[in-house]
Amino acid sequence: MQTQDGMNYAPKGKPAPVCEKGAFPFAAIGLDHGHIYGMCNGLIEAGGQLKWVYDPDPAKVDKFIQTYPEVQAARSEQEVLQDPTVKLVAGAAITSERCALGMRVMSHGKDYFTDKAPFTTLAQLEQAKQKVAETGLKYAVYYSERLHVESAVYAGQLIEQGAIGRVLQVSGYGPHRINVPSRPDWFFNREQFGGILCDIGSHQCEQFLYYTGSKDAKVVNSQLANYNHKQFPTFEDFGDCNLVGDNGSTGYFRVDWFTPNGLSTWGDGRTIILGTDGYIELRKYVDIAREQGGGHVYLVNHEGEYHFNVKGQIGYPFFGELIMDCLNRTEIAMTQEHAFKAAELCLVAQRDAKIIEGL
């Protein structure tokens, strides 16, 4: 697994198929972001059959086939969309193009699974809501910093078990390594990637809603800056945000592109969850200066202090749940309302952010 560059973070878990072989054929369209590999890994491990791949760039397709030699390279997007056996299309297109791809997928009667952020504008979000209402199909989103991180999955299980009581506040920290030479041009164009709060901030909005159990929330304050990458005038390398949930819970998150080269992984992602009866800290990808590798969960409650290293112990249940949701038309993995609300919050935070000047 790539640990130096978050764009190519693609976890691999243990096979845990939820359906018979061949029961869930899916395809990949749009290989602009490396998260497509994590999305496909998760679906394959849960029993999905990767049947087709299409991207207009043959080099991206060739690289993809090296990883998944069983996949067929389609001659066109239409060849994939017109295959009646394909149940879902996974895509990691340029962020501003993800909604349009989803509309084409759903117009052909297939569920859609996109990389985050799922939209760059509120108008796209409304378009997707209308399409879901018209078709009854899914517009699923790969919020990987919770769904594909075992410590984050385990934190949800602890909260459900009542380990820290009622959740009052969530603080999330999502630093990333920028690795400028490895990034495509679109990554630095706000119109195409949506801005830092829309992009990597989407993870944090989703986690806040999930851990607090909020159905809705308001953006109280948000800020943006381009502190150290002035050569990219529409890029932002820092952002933060305060949220208040409809149940009174509060949230704060910070995202940035300042991971130093000395860190052993692409980002020291952390989440701190405060409850009425304790708190949880997640050290998702590394326990700095102590232990390389992630999966660390720290829990303090009335019973005592605990440290769990859950790497390789919990798995990634979202992908199997998503497959079964597609087959059974249920909403176990993630409700459509939740996926869209997380997207709305990060878009509003981006739109309404104050611009920090002066450094």
Side-chain angles (χ1 to χ4, degrees):
M1 180 175 63
Q2 169 62 259
T3 61
Q4 295 302 307
D5 183 349
M7 189 165 182
N8 294 305
Y9 176 69
K12 289 185 177 180
K14 299 173 183 176
V18 297
C19 60
E20 294 182 6
K21 187 175 182 180
F24 192 79
F26 73 97
I29 297 178
L31 309 179
D32 294 286
H33 198 292
H35 281 173
I36 191 66
Y37 291 89
M39 298 162 73
C40 290
N41 287 349
L43 290 170
I44 291 169
E45 289 159 9
Q49 174 196 355
L50 179 56
K51 186 173 182 180
W52 292 104
V53 61
Y54 176 73
D55 190 279
D57 183 345
K60 289 188 178 78
V61 173
D62 288 344
K63 179 185 175 185
F64 190 84
I65 291 173
Q66 289 175 20
T67 302
Y68 306 107
E70 72 280 7
V71 72
Q72 296 174 253
R75 291 165 292 185
S76 67
E77 182 180 289
Q78 283 299 306
E79 187 172 13
V80 178
L81 296 182
Q82 291 176 1
D83 181 346
T85 69
V86 171
K87 297 189 179 299
L88 173 144
V89 172
I94 292 171
T95 315
S96 59
E97 299 172 9
R98 289 171 185 168
C99 180
L101 172 58
M103 297 306 96
R104 297 193 298 273
V105 169
M106 297 168 81
S107 291
H108 285 79
K110 304 179 190 311
D111 291 313
Y112 180 52
F113 181 34
T114 181
D115 187 19
K116 66 78 218 166
F119 314 105
T120 55
T121 68
L122 288 165
Q124 291 174 359
L125 171 59
E126 288 307 310
Q127 187 180 9
K129 285 182 177 180
Q130 290 176 17
K131 196 70 168 179
V132 168
E134 290 167 9
T135 64
L137 294 166
K138 297 183 182 300
Y139 196 112
V141 184
Y142 181 58
Y143 292 112
S144 57
E145 290 188 22
R146 181 177 68 83
L147 304 176
H148 229 162
V149 173
E150 286 181 290
S151 60
V153 175
Y154 189 55
Q157 295 173 356
L158 288 173
I159 291 167
E160 190 174 345
Q161 294 162 12
I164 59 170
R166 179 165 55 93
V167 173
L168 305 175
Q169 206 270 351
V170 176
S171 299
Y173 301 89
H176 285 57
R177 176 172 286 129
I178 191 163
N179 227 344
V180 171
S182 73
R183 301 284 177 176
D185 291 343
W186 65 264
F187 173 82
F188 299 100
N189 182 335
R190 189 187 299 121
E191 283 196 8
Q192 290 182 290
F193 81 93
I196 192 170
L197 293 175
C198 172
D199 178 22
I200 51 181
S202 63
H203 292 295
Q204 303 296 331
C205 291
E206 191 278 330
Q207 289 174 99
F208 167 76
L209 291 174
Y210 176 75
Y211 289 132
T212 63
S214 299
K215 298 293 185 185
D216 197 1
K218 292 183 179 179
V219 176
V220 178
N221 177 68
S222 55
Q223 302 178 112
L224 294 168
N226 183 352
Y227 284 129
N228 205 40
H229 298 87
K230 305 296 187 184
Q231 71 271 37
F232 307 116
T234 69
F235 184 68
E236 301 132 2
D237 54 23
F238 176 91
D240 68 2
C241 178
N242 290 92
L243 300 162
V244 175
D246 58 359
N247 56 10
S249 58
T250 68
Y252 169 80
F253 69 81
R254 187 199 77 217
V255 286
D256 66 76
W257 291 100
F258 288 109
T259 293
N261 290 335
L263 189 72
S264 59
T265 189
W266 55 268
D268 185 9
R270 298 197 185 195
T271 305
I272 301 171
I273 306 165
L274 174 66
T276 53
D277 298 313
Y279 61 90
I280 294 168
E281 180 182 346
L282 309 181
R283 301 182 187 179
K284 293 182 175 180
Y285 312 111
V286 64
D287 200 355
I288 57 167
R290 288 163 52 90
E291 187 175 332
Q292 290 193 7
H296 298 279
V297 178
Y298 292 87
L299 165 66
V300 182
N301 60 16
H302 296 310
E303 281 68 53
E305 306 170 3
Y306 307 92
H307 168 234
F308 309 98
N309 187 336
V310 298
K311 185 176 181 181
Q313 305 300 312
I314 305 299
Y316 309 111
F318 168 82
F319 300 95
E321 292 170 353
L322 177 61
I323 287 175
M324 295 310 296
D325 281 346
C326 292
L327 294 174
N328 298 331
R329 310 320 298 170
T330 51
E331 281 196 320
I332 305 301
M334 181 184 295
T335 67
Q336 191 65 74
E337 179 186 16
H338 178 90
F340 281 163
K341 182 56 66 173
E344 177 188 328
L345 289 174
C346 69
L347 289 165
V348 170
Q350 181 74 38
R351 181 195 67 188
D352 295 348
K354 301 179 183 70
I355 307 301
I356 303 170
E357 306 283 0
L359 282 183

